[in-house]
Every structure is written in C-alpha cells, then in structure tokens.
Amino acid sequence: MAKTDAEKQEYSALERFLYIILLPVLFALVLLGVLLTLFDYDVKGALTNIGRNIPVVKSFIPDNEPEQPFVNPVNAALAQDERLTELESELAEKTAEIARLQSDLAAREQAYASLEDNVEQLVLGREREEEDRQAYRARLKSLANMYAGMSARKAASILEQMTLPEMVLILYEMGADERGNILARMEPETAAAASLQLKDLSEDNWAEFERRAGDAGTDSGADSASRLTIAQLADTFAAMEPESAAKILLELRKQNSTKAIDVLAAMTEQARSRVLAGIAETSPADAAAFADQLGGR
C-alpha cells in the first residue's frame, strides 16, 4: 500500500513536470519557430549550426551541403498569389484584345460586304443605263429612217419643231445625203445651229448630247411654248399624207404618249379622222388606244 502511494506521488510529480514545465516550453518553442519563420528567419539553419557545436550531437548532423537560399513558404505562397493575379489580369487584357479584334474584323467584313453590294449595284445601274441608251439609240435610228423616207420639206418642217439637241441626234443617225437635203429646207438660222452641233457630235460624246436632249426636253415644257409647238405640229401633220402622219405619230407615241395625244387633240376633226384612219391601217390596236385616250379628255 505504501508502494502504491509512492508510485502515485512519482506520477503526480512527472505529470506536474510534463504539464507545467515541458509542454508550455515546447509550445513556446514551436510558436517561436513559427514566428521566426514568418519573419524569414532560417530556424532550421540556426539549429543545425548550434548542433554542430555540441560534441555528441554534431556526429548526428550531416556534413555541410551547398547552401540553398531560404524561401519562406508564406512569402512563396503570397508571391504565387500575386503572380496568379498578374496572369489573370494579363489573360483578361488578352481576352479583351481578342474581342476588340474580332469586333474590328466583323466591322470590316460588313464594310467589305456593303462595298461589294454597292459595286454590284453600280455595275447593274451602268448596265441598265447602257441598255436604255441602246434602246433610245434604236428609236432615234428608226425615226431617222422614217424622216429620211419622207420628202425633205416635210421632214424639215417637223424637225424644226423639236429642240435643237433632239434634232441634231436624229440628223446624226441619217446618211449624209438625206441630212443635207433636210438641212437645205430648214430656216437658215436653225440649219446653221444644227450644223455647228453636228460638227462636234461623235460617238465619244454622244452620251453628253443625249443628256442635253433630255434636259432641253424638260426645259421646253412651259405651257405657252408647249401649246404653240403642239399647234404647229398639229398643222404640220394635218398637211401631210395620212399614212406618213400615222407612222410618225406611232413613233412619237413610243417616246411621249401624252405629246402624241396632244397633237391629235389639236387637229381639226377632219384631219384627225384621216390620221386615225391611217393609224388603223397600220395598227388597229394603237388606233383604238388613241381614240380611248382622246375620249377621256
């Protein structure tokens, strides 16, 4: 029983030493080591150097190895975090740059597509203009052949009622002999003006003369001048053979249907009936269309 009490006393002393002295000292040493490590102090190297100075302990310490730079794990982790943040920032910048380049590429592709569409529309417009010009040229040649087949005096009286650019374009499509005969029967001033323009007219500037003819036709649309021109044309057609007047009015209707109707309306009833009869012999459908339009006035 006494032995048991002695053992209990020894255990109590050992426990007191363990809990009161050893554990707090070990805790303090560990805490000190952690704090020194946080402040970049090489605890392991210091302990190794101390151990090499203790006679018995130094035999358990390995020989010196090449010193490696001490790296604080905490600082290394912080450095990695900073590097990761930099890499993420660079990635965000690169992503934004790629998005900007893609946006620029899309804008350029859209601009290129729009430019292609504009070029295509321009080409189609030029083709339509050329088709219209060729059709207009064909009508002028048809008129020129028709006037050339008439007597020079009648053709001259009709051509003088047109604007100068229109007259010049029709005369240009005639042969030299027919053109000379018609000019000889025009008023001297009109023939001189037409001759001057015919001198300058060529295939190279034909389109420019066509534009002038269109502008002149638009500018000559004043009411008083139009009534005078139509009245003169009506008298001229009334004096012609019905067949010739019918052919000219049919050609005029292709270019300006309203003007052809105005000419017929300005004629006397007797002259108009003769001309409509001539039109009916050539084209009954056109004669019926003329009559319908005249009846609607």
Side-chain angles (χ1 to χ4, degrees):
M1 186 69 179
K3 184 179 179 180
T4 305
D5 293 338
E7 289 178 355
K8 289 183 178 179
Q9 291 178 356
E10 290 177 2
Y11 287 139
S12 298
L14 180 61
E15 289 176 352
R16 286 197 297 271
F17 173 78
L18 178 64
Y19 291 117
I20 297 174
I21 298 175
L22 183 59
L23 287 179
V25 171
L26 290 176
F27 179 77
L29 290 175
V30 171
L31 180 59
L32 180 62
V34 172
L35 292 175
L36 291 175
T37 302
L38 291 176
F39 289 101
D40 292 338
Y41 183 78
D42 189 3
V43 178
K44 179 182 177 182
L47 293 176
T48 302
N49 292 331
I50 294 171
R52 287 196 181 100
N53 296 323
I54 300 174
V56 178
V57 177
K58 68 180 180 180
S59 61
F60 297 99
I61 297 176
D63 295 335
N64 289 334
E65 296 178 355
E67 292 186 0
Q68 300 293 332
F70 175 73
V71 178
N72 189 334
V74 176
N75 292 341
L78 292 175
Q80 288 181 352
D81 290 341
E82 292 179 358
R83 180 57 181 163
L84 180 60
T85 303
E86 292 178 359
L87 292 175
E88 289 177 347
S89 177
E90 292 179 1
L91 178 61
E93 291 178 358
K94 296 297 183 182
T95 303
E97 180 68 14
I98 292 173
R100 186 184 65 80
L101 292 175
Q102 289 177 341
S103 178
D104 292 344
L105 179 61
R108 292 189 179 186
E109 288 178 348
Q110 184 177 1
Y112 180 73
S114 178
L115 181 61
E116 280 188 334
D117 185 63
N118 291 338
V119 171
E120 184 178 358
Q121 293 298 326
L122 180 62
V123 171
L124 292 176
R126 293 287 179 84
E127 291 177 353
R128 286 194 293 268
E129 288 179 2
E130 183 62 26
E131 291 175 357
D132 294 342
R133 184 175 291 110
Q134 291 177 358
Y136 180 69
R137 187 77 178 269
R139 291 196 298 270
L140 283 178
K141 288 183 178 181
S142 177
L143 280 173
N145 293 333
M146 183 181 61
Y147 288 130
M150 298 169 52
S151 67
R153 179 181 61 81
K154 290 181 180 179
S157 64
I158 295 174
L159 289 173
E160 283 182 318
Q161 307 306 316
M162 300 181 181
T163 63
L164 185 59
E166 290 174 335
M167 180 198 311
V168 170
L169 288 175
I170 293 175
L171 290 172
Y172 179 76
E173 300 297 334
M174 295 182 182
D177 294 337
E178 292 86 355
R179 184 165 55 241
N181 291 333
I182 292 175
L183 287 172
R185 286 161 178 78
M186 289 183 177
E187 293 293 330
E189 296 82 359
T190 304
S195 299
L196 288 175
Q197 293 203 15
L198 283 168
K199 176 177 66 67
D200 298 329
L201 180 57
S202 65
E203 292 297 325
D204 294 334
N205 59 4
W206 192 92
E208 175 64 20
F209 273 80
E210 179 192 4
R211 185 187 62 79
R212 294 181 188 175
D215 294 342
T218 303
D219 294 340
S220 62
D223 291 342
S224 60
S226 298
R227 285 194 295 270
L228 178 61
T229 300
I230 290 172
Q232 291 176 346
L233 282 174
D235 293 340
T236 301
F237 282 113
M240 294 171 58
E241 294 295 330
E243 294 79 8
S244 298
K247 290 180 180 180
I248 296 174
L249 281 173
L250 287 173
E251 290 296 328
L252 179 61
R253 185 171 184 267
K254 295 178 182 178
Q255 298 184 26
N256 192 333
S257 176
T258 302
K259 192 170 185 179
I261 294 297
D262 290 341
V263 171
L264 278 174
M267 292 181 182
T268 62
E269 293 183 3
Q270 184 178 4
R272 183 165 54 249
S273 63
R274 290 199 306 268
V275 174
L276 285 174
I279 294 175
E281 292 179 2
T282 303
S283 175
D286 287 325
F290 274 125
D292 181 63
Q293 289 179 297
L294 287 169
R297 285 176 172 265

